[in-house]
Amino acid sequence: MQKINTIEDVRNYQLCTGCGVCAELESNRYSMVDVPGEGIRPTVKNADVESSGKAFSACPGAQLKHETSVKDPQLHEDLRAGWGPVYDVLEGYAADEEVRRGSSSGGAITALALFCLERENMRGALHTAADPEQPYRNRTVFSRDRTSLLAAGGSRYAPSSPCAELQQISQADGPCVFIGKPCDVAAVHAAQKVSPALKENLGVSIALFCAGVPSTNASLKLAEIQGAKSPESIRSLRYRGNGWPGVWSLEFMDSNNELQRREMTYAESWDYLQRHRQWRCYICPDHTGEFADIAVGDPWYREIAPGEPGSSLIVVRSQRGKEIVEAAIAAGYLKITARDASLLPRSQPNLLAARGNLWARLHTLRLFGAAVPNYVGFAFFPFWLGELKLMDKLRSFVGTIRRIYRKRLREPVVESR
């Protein structure tokens, strides 16, 4: 099996998530660049600066480690093996209609961040927004008020590196909110161990459920299929919104310099984009933000009626998260329609099978000499035994072998690839 010992190894053997924590913790050595066919990746900007090891210690591409020794009677122990720490599961939505309408589902993430800024005296929220100059790309923003938060509402199925800007939290004059993908939040969770300033100023971490990160090229190719012949012609690109679950919408200038608009359903667009996810997403055990204080996704456990304004599934994962959620409800920022721990597995019925599948994938990768992350505190084998049928068990091995050769996972990445 290929040993992973450095950030360069993580990047070269396709384990990078693109979070950017390496560029934050060792900013004199690393910076982040968008490789359009892969994702956002670290590059060594100064080889004369020796790595301190801090970046590698926090890298979610290299390792994810749960502290399973922590016991709390308020935790749902029956969910821990498959879903990580869970204190509570709620369904609800932002009480503010503008917040709810501008989101991809119920607006719970924006509502919680807004509550933290307005009522908890937090200094800002670090999160991802569309790049106004290149709408098919993302940028990291530090929102200090309602206007900035609402401007960035909605899902962004494109590469992002919010951890590369963590200095905006560590250098703030008080507590802040961090919002990101599960891998981003895991990186922040680990980075606190080597950054006292970050630990001091991280008021709350909020993760959004994630099924993987498509490359920049995926968005550009889908836009081209819909008529945008060049990246420069794109004026706006939204992946969800205007209803729940919403539509993929594109605005671009045609050859006659006239503005054109195209739409696809959320399901149609994701069916295309998900085929172009980075490799690390295929072997990810955490799609629901297990290292966050609060995680938010869609309540897919039920059919969505036409015209529904949107609803959020809220998973409380720490005591701090519980305090924030309950206070936001009491202050009128969130309206809750259900409180039931079973909503989590019912909303994500395929994830236990995916976790079981991962046991076979990781073992096959090791057997064939490919690199794998170090996962500690995750249960895989029980779900491989109990959640997969015989043919699915076989496919979990055979499909991985095919990917090893098709994606050349035993070879270091060459830039031209």
Side-chain angles (χ1 to χ4, degrees), residues 204-403:
V204 66
S205 60
I206 305 175
L208 47 107
F209 287 15
C210 178
V213 181
S215 66
T216 297
N217 277 353
S219 291
L220 290 176
K221 183 62 178 178
L222 186 56
E224 182 183 3
I225 292 170
Q226 293 299 312
K229 299 306 180 184
S230 70
E232 294 74 22
S233 69
I234 297 174
R235 294 294 177 266
S236 72
L237 177 59
R238 283 185 61 97
Y239 295 85
R240 289 178 63 178
N242 298 316
W244 182 41
V247 295
W248 178 93
S249 60
L250 168 73
E251 290 184 347
F252 64 95
M253 305 303 292
D254 65 14
S255 57
N256 296 318
N257 205 33
E258 294 182 355
L259 185 65
Q260 301 292 332
R261 181 179 176 84
R262 300 287 187 273
E263 289 187 351
M264 300 176 68
T265 67
Y266 163 68
E268 289 171 334
S269 62
W270 179 247
D271 179 64
Y272 179 85
L273 293 171
Q274 61 89 22
R275 302 176 208 165
H276 302 274
R277 291 170 292 165
Q278 58 191 358
W279 167 244
R280 173 59 175 72
C281 299
Y282 285 87
I283 53 172
C284 181
D286 179 15
H287 298 280
T288 60
E290 297 182 22
F291 293 87
D293 294 308
I294 305 164
V296 179
D298 288 277
W300 297 128
Y301 72 94
R302 60 183 177 84
E303 291 290 330
I304 300 174
E308 277 201 53
S311 191
S312 299
L313 188 73
I314 305 166
V315 182
V316 179
R317 294 197 174 276
S318 73
Q319 286 286 5
R320 177 56 174 157
K322 187 176 181 65
E323 293 169 3
I324 293 290
V325 169
E326 295 299 341
I329 294 169
Y333 282 75
L334 287 175
K335 289 188 177 180
I336 302 303
T337 57
R339 191 186 292 259
D340 180 355
S342 74
L343 294 179
L344 176 55
R346 287 161 57 197
S347 293
Q348 300 289 335
N350 299 321
L351 286 189
L352 292 184
R355 183 161 288 200
N357 216 329
L358 193 51
W359 178 83
R361 287 184 179 179
L362 295 173
H363 277 276
T364 305
L365 289 165
R366 293 188 186 101
L367 181 63
F368 279 76
V372 298
N374 181 28
Y375 295 141
V376 177
F378 291 88
F380 300 128
F381 184 63
F383 300 107
W384 186 80
L385 280 179
E387 295 291 331
L388 299 181
K389 297 178 181 178
L390 178 59
M391 288 304 298
D392 293 327
K393 287 182 170 73
L394 293 174
R395 290 190 189 99
S396 64
F397 289 108
V398 174
T400 303
I401 294 170
R402 289 173 177 166
R403 287 192 175 101

Side-chain angles (χ1 to χ4, degrees), residues 53-328:
K54 287 183 178 181
F56 186 76
S57 71
C59 175
Q63 65 271 313
L64 293 176
K65 298 181 180 180
H66 268 307
E67 298 169 1
T68 54
S69 60
V70 176
K71 301 294 181 183
D72 190 324
Q74 297 184 54
L75 280 169
H76 288 272
E77 288 296 337
D78 57 321
L79 295 178
R80 184 192 282 265
W83 305 97
V86 176
Y87 281 84
D88 205 355
V89 182
L90 310 92
E91 182 179 354
Y93 53 87
D96 186 311
E97 284 301 316
E98 184 180 10
V99 172
R100 188 182 187 186
R101 187 170 58 251
S103 73
S104 292
S105 52
I109 290 180
T110 305
L112 286 165
L114 190 60
F115 166 76
C116 289
L117 298 188
E118 295 181 344
R119 298 295 185 91
E120 293 290 300
N121 198 32
M122 295 197 191
R123 304 307 195 266
L126 190 69
H127 59 114
T128 297
D131 185 332
E133 300 299 321
Q134 298 176 309
Y136 51 90
R137 297 187 191 272
N138 290 325
R139 63 172 181 161
T140 302
V141 296
F142 189 68
S143 293
R144 295 179 173 85
D145 54 36
R146 173 191 174 91
T147 300
S148 180
L149 276 174
L150 265 64
S155 299
R156 298 294 305 169
Y157 299 142
S160 60
S161 295
C163 296
E165 299 293 333
L166 283 173
Q167 74 274 6
Q168 299 202 56
I169 292 180
S170 59
Q171 294 173 6
D173 61 353
C176 302
V177 183
F178 179 82
I179 302 169
K181 304 180 299 299
C183 54
D184 302 329
V185 173
V188 172
H189 178 81
Q192 292 179 83
K193 298 176 182 178
V194 294
S195 175
L198 176 62
K199 183 176 182 179
E200 176 71 20
N201 281 352
L202 184 64
V204 66
S205 60
I206 305 175
L208 47 107
F209 287 15
C210 178
V213 181
S215 66
T216 297
N217 277 353
S219 291
L220 290 176
K221 183 62 178 178
L222 186 56
E224 182 183 3
I225 292 170
Q226 293 299 312
K229 299 306 180 184
S230 70
E232 294 74 22
S233 69
I234 297 174
R235 294 294 177 266
S236 72
L237 177 59
R238 283 185 61 97
Y239 295 85
R240 289 178 63 178
N242 298 316
W244 182 41
V247 295
W248 178 93
S249 60
L250 168 73
E251 290 184 347
F252 64 95
M253 305 303 292
D254 65 14
S255 57
N256 296 318
N257 205 33
E258 294 182 355
L259 185 65
Q260 301 292 332
R261 181 179 176 84
R262 300 287 187 273
E263 289 187 351
M264 300 176 68
T265 67
Y266 163 68
E268 289 171 334
S269 62
W270 179 247
D271 179 64
Y272 179 85
L273 293 171
Q274 61 89 22
R275 302 176 208 165
H276 302 274
R277 291 170 292 165
Q278 58 191 358
W279 167 244
R280 173 59 175 72
C281 299
Y282 285 87
I283 53 172
C284 181
D286 179 15
H287 298 280
T288 60
E290 297 182 22
F291 293 87
D293 294 308
I294 305 164
V296 179
D298 288 277
W300 297 128
Y301 72 94
R302 60 183 177 84
E303 291 290 330
I304 300 174
E308 277 201 53
S311 191
S312 299
L313 188 73
I314 305 166
V315 182
V316 179
R317 294 197 174 276
S318 73
Q319 286 286 5
R320 177 56 174 157
K322 187 176 181 65
E323 293 169 3
I324 293 290
V325 169
E326 295 299 341

Side-chain angles (χ1 to χ4, degrees), residues 22 25-27 29-30 49-57 194:
C22 52
L25 294 178
E26 297 186 40
S27 59
R29 179 174 173 83
Y30 299 109
V49 177
E50 187 175 346
S51 173
S52 66
K54 287 183 178 181
F56 186 76
S57 71
V194 294

